[in-house]
Amino acid sequence: DCLLEIFKQLKLVEQVRLATVCPRLRSVFQYYCQRHCKILRKYDLSDMSTREIRRFFEMAGNYLEELVNLPYNDQERNEYVTQVNKNCPNVRRIYFGMTKIKSKCLRKLLMNMKHLNSLHLQKCSLDDNAMKSVSELATLEILRLEGEEDITGKRQSICCEEFICNLYFSLNLGRYLSKLKCLKELTFVECGIQDDFFVEICTSLKGLKKLTLQWCDALTDVAISALPVNCVNLEKLNISCNQSFEYYD
């Protein structure tokens, strides 16, 4: 109990340094983390060296349930993603905002998250390729995308560099997100989504209960008219836009 009280009085970086002194203190810190290290924010790691960040994730990663924002520095971000991939299997909620994330980086981050139920990405410079990784999150219930103008769902040709020959395939974003059978809440704010993509989502996600569309200017009446036909279980609808739609109650 005395050792736990000591850990409570220290900053996280000091806790990590103390925990690396001996196995006994490491064990006490891990017990402390079970109760108090559920949420990891970007600034929590700001005073740690790369070695200390690794030690923190090794000791506390299994108890983390929520991640809030990424480091801005590329090197720190890559280390963060690597450690989350290796040590954080029980994360349930993620919010990342105002920092660029490459599709490859996002795929690595989400690869081992078998319990994630809420994902909120805001102005992360994502494109349709990033949604491949999201579609593999079988337990996801809430997906919020804000300010992601390059997420469109538009069919396009992409070169597969793994093959020597020029092989191209059609990227169908609607089919990716249609895999999210547990999804109950979906938000698009200032995204570039188009009608055919949105209609396919409505057709596939029968369990959707809450839908928010705000300032997605590429959508037309075609998309909106698909809602009452396909989203039969929808309980809450929030639409804001700069265009003239015929609204449905």
Side-chain angles (χ1 to χ4, degrees):
D1 289 342
C2 292
L3 289 175
L4 284 174
E5 286 301 318
I6 291 174
F7 273 105
K8 288 180 181 179
Q9 304 304 315
L10 300 176
K11 296 180 179 179
L12 183 59
V13 62
E14 296 170 334
Q15 293 173 350
V16 173
R17 290 169 182 170
L18 180 61
T20 57
V21 171
C22 69
R24 169 61 176 159
L25 290 174
R26 178 188 177 104
S27 177
V28 173
F29 178 60
Q30 288 180 305
Y31 182 78
Y32 172 86
C33 289
Q34 291 182 43
R35 298 183 179 182
H36 303 288
C37 288
K38 303 292 186 181
I39 302 175
L40 179 65
R41 298 174 177 84
K42 175 187 64 178
Y43 54 77
D44 290 336
L45 305 176
S46 58
D47 295 327
M48 295 189 197
S49 66
T50 299
R51 181 183 177 86
E52 288 168 343
I53 290 174
R54 291 174 182 172
R55 295 293 176 267
F56 165 75
F57 277 107
E58 289 169 0
M59 292 185 287
N62 195 51
Y63 310 113
L64 290 174
E65 296 182 0
E66 183 172 348
L67 305 178
V68 180
N69 283 326
L70 283 164
Y72 290 125
N73 179 279
D74 286 342
Q75 183 176 353
E76 292 178 356
R77 187 187 308 131
N78 290 337
E79 183 62 36
Y80 178 100
V81 169
T82 298
Q83 294 306 318
V84 168
N85 173 268
K86 289 173 58 177
N87 298 296
C88 303
N90 297 312
V91 173
R92 286 165 170 75
R93 298 173 298 278
I94 289 179
Y95 168 76
F96 292 154
M98 311 300 292
T99 183
K100 186 175 182 179
I101 308 175
K102 295 180 180 179
S103 296
K104 183 178 180 180
C105 181
L106 185 66
R107 181 168 62 251
K108 184 176 182 180
L109 183 82
L110 299 177
M111 188 180 301
N112 295 323
M113 293 192 177
K114 307 302 182 184
H115 307 288
L116 191 69
N117 57 45
S118 178
L119 178 61
H120 186 176
L121 302 172
Q122 181 180 24
K123 294 187 177 181
C124 294
S125 301
L126 300 173
D127 57 18
D128 290 348
N129 288 316
M131 295 299 100
K132 295 180 186 178
S133 306
V134 175
S135 71
E136 302 300 325
L137 299 171
T139 60
L140 195 67
E141 296 182 5
I142 301 172
L143 175 60
R144 295 174 180 153
L145 301 172
E146 298 186 37
E148 305 297 348
E149 297 178 355
D150 291 330
I151 294 180
T152 65
K154 183 178 180 180
R155 285 172 171 79
Q156 54 186 300
S157 294
I158 300 176
C159 177
C160 295
E161 297 179 355
E162 291 84 357
F163 298 94
I164 298 177
C165 62
N166 290 326
L167 178 63
Y168 292 87
F169 62 94
S170 176
L171 177 62
N172 190 327
L173 183 55
R175 290 181 183 172
Y176 286 148
L177 294 190
S178 68
K179 296 180 181 179
L180 301 174
K181 300 303 182 183
C182 292
L183 200 67
K184 293 180 173 56
E185 180 178 333
L186 179 61
T187 297
F188 290 110
V189 177
E190 294 182 329
C191 294
I193 55 172
Q194 300 187 4
D195 286 341
D196 54 350
F197 161 51
F198 182 76
V199 171
E200 188 162 5
I201 289 178
C202 291
T203 304
S204 303
L205 300 178
K206 299 297 185 182
L208 205 62
K209 295 185 179 298
K210 181 178 179 180
L211 176 64
T212 299
L213 298 172
Q214 294 183 328
W215 305 295
C216 297
D217 294 340
L219 293 180
T220 70
D221 290 337
V222 173
I224 305 306
S225 62
L227 290 173
V229 177
N230 297 291
C231 296
V232 295
N233 293 312
L234 203 62
E235 297 175 356
K236 187 172 183 179
L237 174 62
N238 179 17
I239 299 179
S240 302
C241 62
N242 296 322
Q243 299 182 7
S244 297
F245 286 142
E246 182 178 353
Y247 292 96
Y248 296 84
D249 295 327

